[in-house]
Structures are given as structure tokens and as C-alpha cells.
């Protein structure tokens, strides 16, 4: 049987030196000298080299690079610290140089091919008024086999463990895929009367009930049996990596799927990048470059986690049907009484459509009405729910006020 991962590794080994060469040539070809007119042909060659160099995938988390934040009109230094770690995840704390005591917020980042830095904008905005922590999931190809499996149960255990680390009074925020794990963790902690139950739980653009307004992503997940996904989407990490022999859903496969959903948009973006570079439009080019530096940073998912997510969340709809289990216990969101719930959706979300996240409100039927809030943000897609101008100016103020209202 052909190992897709090994084929990809062979391709990367063959083409990465070419991209490295193009990366070195771009500034040389595009160099300008005082009194010497710009050579249009060389500028076009330099632009082409840079565009080609930027089609390379990376497999390590980019830096968050959040060195300071505005807090109450003052600029405050921020220090990124890993305060707890397992082989599969680190708990990062963005410590601010301030004596003010602010609400602790645990941000649960997706384990979906991209690194936690996809939520850089989310974190930076939250830091204005909160003490922020985030789950920093490792690239599965870097986790040795000796550390065992990692499935949905292990994911939920990490969320519970990190909330316990933060202690009573913290707030929980999950974006996209981990909304299922976050709701599961809160349900289990409520049933166990855990002292570190979160004060609030904010679920943003998540697939809590994908029977509602199914998207193309949902349709694909249901179009094949789980055996097809295991046969066609799972590969083995090559021998050169620390996680050699681990079965994974490779990040490069997920990236291919993402890009094929909107291929024309990505092709157009690189065409625009080339045009901006040729024309010397550095600001416009920088926006595209920054986006794809993050977009092309990919992590592999443990096979168990990927397959269990496809089967239980997208095929069996186990959570809304009351059939999801954690450590062989049936998960019951009705156990949640002390945690306030805020659900947020994007009007134009084509990954987790309107209605899929608000489903949590019905599942958590024992939360009092005054402890609930739902918001649909107009004119944003999936990414715009947690990043960008409308997140900053329209969604975040509601979230901040919700946390403040229930932080007692």
C-alpha cells in the first residue's frame, strides 16, 4: 500500500530547495539602486520568484508575536509563557505586565490542521480586558508513538485538566471544531460538580448539530463510510520525524481539501500578490503574504481524533442526539446549570452554517434564561466570526460584556 505521506515528503524534499533558491533570488533581482532606473523585466522575475517561494508548506507553529497590547488606553508588555504541557499540547499564558486582576479566559483552539496561531487576532483582542490562556496543540508528527493514542476523550480531558489548572472562576471560549469538546467538558464537570466549572462558555461557529443547514463540508463527511476516510485520508508518519509510525490525518491533505473548496479564490489571491509586487504595492502584498504564511503552516492530526470526529460529530450527530460518550459515560449538557452560555454564528459561514452552533442553547436546557445569549453576526463568514474588523468592533464588545456580567 502506497504511503501518501512518504510521497508528499519526497515531493517536498525535491521542491523545497528550489523554493529556497527562489527566496534568495527575489531580493537580488528586485534590488534598486539610487539613480538607476528600475528594470521591469527583473522586477517581474523577482515577483515571480517570491510568489513561487511562498507556495511552500511549513510544519512548525509560527510565533504569536504579541509583545504588547492596549489595555485601558495604556500600552502594556505581554510575555508568552507555557505554564503546563503534555506530549500533545501546551497551555500558553499571555502574561501582561499589570497588577490588575482580570477574568481568566481559556481559549480552546481547533486541532484541525492549522496551529493555534490562527487565533492570533482573537487572542490579541481578548487581551485588552482579560487574562488569556490558549491550548497550543502539537503537530502529531512530532509526538512519539510511546505517548499513545489521542482521540476525542483525550482532547476533552485536556480541556478539563487545563480548566482545573486555571482554578475556579475561569471562562471558556472555543472556536469552531472544539466547541463539541468544550461543551462535553463543561457537561462532565457540571455532572461531577467540579470546582473549576467555567463561569461562562462561549461557543463560536462550531459544528454542534450539523443536521441543521448542512454545508459542503458536512455533506462530504456523510457521503462516505468511515472506512473510506480511514483508507483514503490516513497515512503513516515517515521515519525521519519524531512521530515515525504514528497514523495521522496529514495537514497537507486537509490544506488541499480547504483550497479545493475555494480554489479560484486562492489562485486569484496569488495572482494579486504577483501584481502588487510588480507594482511595488508593498502594503497590499503584505496582507496577502501574512495570510498565507499562517494558512500554509500545517499540523497533522492524530488518526484517532480525526476519525472519531468525523464519525461522532458529522455522521452520527451523537451530541445533539444524546448519544455522545466520554470515558464510557453518556454526555448530558442538561447537567450544566452554573455556567452561562453565549453562542455566536456568522451569517455567511459556509463551514459551520447558521443554526449549528445555537443548537447548544437547546441542549443546555437547564441554564437559566438570563444566563444565555446568542448572536448572529451579519456579513461575515467563518473566519470573520473570530478575526477581523467585525470581530473587533461588533462581536468582541458583546463577549466582553457577557463575561463581565457573569464574572462574580
Amino acid at each position: 500500500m502506497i504511503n501518501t505521506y512518504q510521497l508528499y515528503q519526497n515531493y517536498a524534499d525535491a521542491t523545497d530547495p528550489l523554493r529556497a533558491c527562489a527566496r534568495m533570488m527575489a531580493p537580488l533581482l528586485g534590488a534598486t539602486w539610487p539613480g538607476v532606473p528600475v528594470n521591469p523585466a527583473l522586477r517581474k522575475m523577482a515577483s515571480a520568484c517570491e510568489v513561487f517561494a511562498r507556495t511552500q508548506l511549513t510544519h512548525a507553529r509560527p510565533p504569536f508575536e504579541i509583545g504588547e497590547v492596549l489595555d485601558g488606553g495604556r500600552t502594556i508588555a505581554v510575555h508568552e509563557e507555557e505554564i503546563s504541557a503534555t506530549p500533545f499540547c501546551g497551555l500558553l499564558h499571555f502574561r501582561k505586565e499589570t497588577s490588575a486582576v482580570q477574568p481568566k479566559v481559556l481559549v480552546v483552539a481547533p486541532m484541525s490542521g492549522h496551529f493555534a496561531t490562527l487565533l492570533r487576532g482573537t487572542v490579541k483582542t481578548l487581551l485588552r480586558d482579560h487574562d488569556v490562556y490558549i491550548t497550543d496543540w502539537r503537530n502529531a508528527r512530532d509526538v512519539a508513538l510511546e505517548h499513545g493514542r489521542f482521540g476525542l476523550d483525550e482532547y476533552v480531558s485536556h480541556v478539563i485538566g487545563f480548566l482545573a489548572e486555571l482554578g475556579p472562576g475561569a471562562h471558556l471560549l472555543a472556536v469552531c471544531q472544539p466547541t463539541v469538546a468544550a461543551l462535553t467538558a463543561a457537561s462532565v464537570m457540571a455532572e461531577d460538580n467540579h470546582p473549576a466549572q467555567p463561569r461562562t462558555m462561549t461557543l463560536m461557529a462550531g459544528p454542534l448539530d450539523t443536521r441543521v443547514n448542512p454545508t459542503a463540508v458536512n455533506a462530504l463527511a456523510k457521503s462516505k463510510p468511515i472506512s473510506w476516510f480511514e483508507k483514503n485520508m490516513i497515512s503513516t508518519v515517515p521515519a525521519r520525524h519524531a512521530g515515525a509510525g504514528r497514523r495521522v490525518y496529514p495537514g497537507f491533505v486537509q490544506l488541499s481539501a480547504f483550497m479545493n473548496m475555494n480554489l479560484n479564490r486562492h489562485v486569484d489571491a496569488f495572482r494579486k500578490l504577483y501584481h502588487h509586487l510588480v507594482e511595488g504595492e508593498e502594503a497590499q502584498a503584505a496582507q496577502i503574504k501574512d495570510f498565507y504564511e499562517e494558512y500554509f503552516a500545517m499540523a497533522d492530526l492524530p488518526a484517532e481524533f480525526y476519525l472519531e470526529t468525523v464519525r461522532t460529530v458529522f455522521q452520527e450527530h451523537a451530541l445533539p442526539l444524546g448519544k455522545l460518550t466520554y470515558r464510557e459515560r453518556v454526555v448530558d449538557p442538561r447537567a450544566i446549570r452554573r455556567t452561562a452560555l453565549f453562542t455566536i454564528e456568522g451569517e455567511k459561514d459556509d463551514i459551520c452554517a447558521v443554526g449549528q452552533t445555537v443548537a447548544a442553547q437547546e441542549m443546555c436546557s437547564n441554564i437559566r434564561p438570563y444566563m444565555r445569549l446568542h448572536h448572529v453576526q451579519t456579513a461575515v463568514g467563518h473566519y470573520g466570526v473570530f478575526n477581523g474588523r467585525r470581530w473587533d468592533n461588533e462581536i468582541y464588545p458583546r463577549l466582553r460584556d457577557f463575561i463581565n456580567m457573569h464574572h462574580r
Side-chain angles (χ1 to χ4, degrees):
M1 182 176 173
I2 298 175
N3 184 356
T4 306
Y5 207 130
Q6 188 61 61
L7 292 177
Y8 162 76
Q9 192 65 64
N10 295 343
Y11 165 79
D13 290 344
T15 58
D16 284 354
L18 299 177
R19 292 188 178 86
C21 217
R23 191 175 296 109
M24 289 187 292
M25 290 298 296
L28 295 176
L29 293 170
T32 58
W33 304 94
V36 179
V38 173
N39 186 316
L42 288 179
R43 186 152 197 159
K44 288 180 180 179
M45 290 174 64
S47 301
C49 283
E50 181 158 359
V51 169
F52 175 64
R54 290 186 175 278
T55 60
Q56 183 179 23
L57 272 62
T58 57
H59 303 279
R61 175 174 71 74
F64 274 95
E65 294 183 332
I66 303 176
E68 59 184 31
V69 67
L70 280 175
D71 186 336
R74 297 177 301 140
T75 299
I76 295 176
V78 176
H79 303 279
E80 178 186 325
E81 303 172 337
E82 185 175 81
I83 64 168
S84 182
T86 73
F88 290 95
C89 189
L91 177 61
L92 294 186
H93 179 210
F94 297 90
R95 180 176 58 81
K96 295 192 289 187
E97 287 189 359
T98 176
S99 58
V101 178
Q102 297 179 315
K104 293 181 180 179
V105 177
L106 172 62
V107 179
V108 186
M111 181 186 271
S112 58
H114 287 105
F115 291 94
T117 44
L118 190 68
L119 303 184
R120 183 185 290 104
T122 316
V123 170
K124 194 163 187 177
T125 302
L126 285 166
L127 277 168
R128 296 175 193 165
D129 309 283
H130 305 92
D131 186 14
V132 182
Y133 302 75
I134 194 169
T135 57
D136 183 23
W137 302 107
R138 314 295 194 205
N139 188 344
R141 81 176 194 175
D142 297 328
V143 182
L145 275 175
E146 65 190 61
H147 297 301
R149 77 185 306 276
F150 188 94
L152 269 173
D153 281 354
E154 287 73 25
Y155 194 114
V156 173
S157 292
H158 275 70
V159 177
I160 294 173
F162 289 153
L163 282 170
E165 181 96 9
L166 299 189
H171 302 262
L172 182 62
L173 185 151
V175 177
C176 189
Q177 169 223 70
T179 54
V180 174
L183 182 53
T184 299
S187 302
V188 170
M189 294 175 82
E191 196 165 39
D192 292 345
N193 197 27
H194 197 295
Q197 292 177 61
R199 293 233 173 113
T200 69
M201 174 171 55
T202 301
L203 306 177
M204 306 178 70
L208 292 164
D209 189 349
T210 58
R211 297 173 301 173
V212 182
N213 293 332
T215 64
V217 174
N218 306 149
L220 174 63
K222 296 202 72 170
S223 65
K224 309 285 185 183
I226 197 65
S227 57
W228 182 91
F229 287 93
E230 184 166 13
K231 179 180 178 182
N232 292 278
M233 297 297 181
I234 303 302
S235 293
T236 303
V237 176
R240 65 190 297 172
H241 302 295
R246 182 177 292 280
R247 296 173 71 242
V248 298
Y249 174 41
F252 66 85
V253 175
Q254 176 136 333
L255 180 64
S256 299
F258 279 152
M259 294 194 72
N260 283 330
M261 287 176 61
N262 296 286
L263 186 58
N264 291 336
R265 183 189 304 172
H266 294 294
V267 171
D268 188 54
F270 277 93
R271 188 182 295 117
K272 288 180 179 177
L273 175 58
Y274 173 77
H275 172 77
H276 292 320
L277 291 170
V278 169
E279 297 299 321
E281 298 166 347
E282 297 298 330
Q284 296 92 323
Q287 289 183 342
I288 298 174
K289 288 191 285 188
D290 289 347
F291 175 81
Y292 280 100
E293 279 181 7
E294 189 67 55
Y295 199 69
F296 284 168
M298 298 302 298
D300 303 336
L301 281 64
E304 306 92 348
F305 176 77
Y306 171 72
L307 293 172
E308 288 171 15
T309 298
V310 171
R311 177 175 57 80
T312 62
V313 176
F314 295 100
Q315 294 187 345
E316 297 176 353
H317 313 291
L319 182 59
L321 291 176
K323 298 179 180 179
L324 184 68
T325 60
Y326 166 72
R327 306 289 189 200
E328 301 183 351
R329 296 168 50 184
V330 175
V331 176
D332 186 5
R334 294 174 300 179
I336 302 173
R337 297 175 181 271
R338 292 162 47 188
T339 300
L341 174 64
F342 188 14
T343 49
I344 303 172
E345 298 178 320
E347 178 194 17
K348 297 182 178 180
D349 194 334
D350 60 354
I351 295 178
C352 296
V354 170
Q356 295 188 5
T357 309
V358 71
Q361 300 282 353
E362 184 175 344
M363 295 183 220
C364 301
S365 56
N366 284 326
I367 298 178
R368 296 179 180 87
Y370 72 87
M371 296 171 64
R372 303 163 174 267
L373 186 63
H374 177 64
H375 175 66
V376 176
Q377 179 59 49
T378 58
V380 300
H382 188 72
Y383 191 74
V385 171
F386 53 90
N387 262 307
R389 179 171 53 86
R390 287 190 170 87
W391 151 247
D392 277 348
N393 300 330
E394 300 182 45
I395 298 174
Y396 173 68
R398 289 179 169 87
L399 172 59
R400 178 196 60 213
D401 294 345
F402 181 77
I403 289 176
N404 286 340
M405 182 186 303
H406 299 286
H407 187 73
R408 54 192 182 277

